Amino acid sequence: MFKNKSIILNSIVHNRGKIFILLSVLVIGCIVGIVISNVIDIEIKNELLGYIQSSNESILNGEYIPNNYDIAISTIYDIFIYFILIIVLGCSVIFSPLIYLVMAYKGFSMGITISFLIMLLGNVKASIYALISMLLPNAILITSMIVLSITWLKFAKDILKNREIYNLKKTICSKFVFSTFVLVSSIIILIPIQILVNSVLNKYITII
């Protein structure tokens, strides 16, 4: 166990530069999302708020409560899309820097979604709703995305430095195996958390 902890800590220290850049890009994307949600045209904002409100009211009124299957499918879809983008960009080598844009988009989508939820409900309950429903699952997803991003950015860097890498096929296969492990692990961890968060929110909404 201590050996595994040491490996993880060494990996974090060794890749601290990439981790810092990825987190910085994520935060910038989040800030841009929050700013845009506050400066967009009022008509567009009202349309978006109307759509979110209608969806939110159907949940608050008990007309539609996502079941576990819906939550699982949505979670798998979200993870799969981000992971495929990172892997494809990393494999392409030349487009690997666009992985940073994937992280920026993730931050942007978080920022704009949380901002609209808070604008819609406009009180402490809104903040609790937004934070519980988004931050914990996204923290785990973002951690997995960072791990995967570092893996494929390093692969692309190694290819560019050494164009004639020995056992290239074996290297790519090992990266795919590791990526699959991260993908499956993320799904296994995130689905129960999403289901739990949904359950807690439903009880919280019922109480208030």
Side-chain angles (χ1 to χ4, degrees), residues 46-122:
N46 288 336
E47 287 181 9
L48 291 171
L49 286 172
Y51 172 76
I52 296 173
Q53 186 172 17
S54 63
S55 300
N56 188 60
E57 285 178 352
S58 66
I59 295 175
L60 291 173
N61 296 330
E63 297 172 5
Y64 171 70
I65 297 178
N67 56 44
N68 292 348
Y69 176 79
D70 293 334
I71 294 170
I73 293 299
S74 176
T75 301
I76 293 171
Y77 177 79
D78 290 342
I79 296 172
F80 193 75
I81 290 297
Y82 283 115
F83 278 35
I84 287 298
L85 279 172
I86 292 171
I87 293 170
V88 169
L89 291 171
C91 281
S92 69
V93 178
I94 193 172
F95 293 113
S96 59
L98 294 179
I99 289 174
Y100 293 107
L101 288 182
V102 176
M103 292 298 296
Y105 175 78
K106 177 59 183 172
F108 175 82
S109 64
M110 285 177 58
I112 202 166
T113 303
I114 292 175
S115 181
F116 269 110
L117 281 173
I118 293 175
M119 278 192 290
L120 179 65
L121 299 178

Side-chain angles (χ1 to χ4, degrees), residues 18-34 82 99-112 135 138-143 145-146 149:
K18 290 187 180 70
I19 293 173
F20 177 77
I21 295 172
L22 287 166
L23 288 175
S24 298
V25 168
L26 180 79
V27 171
I28 291 170
C30 190
I31 293 172
V32 171
I34 293 171
Y82 283 115
I99 289 174
Y100 293 107
L101 288 182
V102 176
M103 292 298 296
Y105 175 78
K106 177 59 183 172
F108 175 82
S109 64
M110 285 177 58
I112 202 166
L135 291 188
N138 275 289
I140 297 170
L141 176 56
I142 288 166
T143 301
M145 288 175 65
I146 288 174
S149 297

Side-chain angles (χ1 to χ4, degrees), residues 149-163:
S149 297
I150 290 172
T151 299
W152 287 101
L153 285 168
K154 185 177 184 303
F155 169 78
K157 183 179 178 180
D158 290 343
I159 293 293
L160 291 173
K161 277 188 174 181
N162 309 290
R163 296 182 184 274

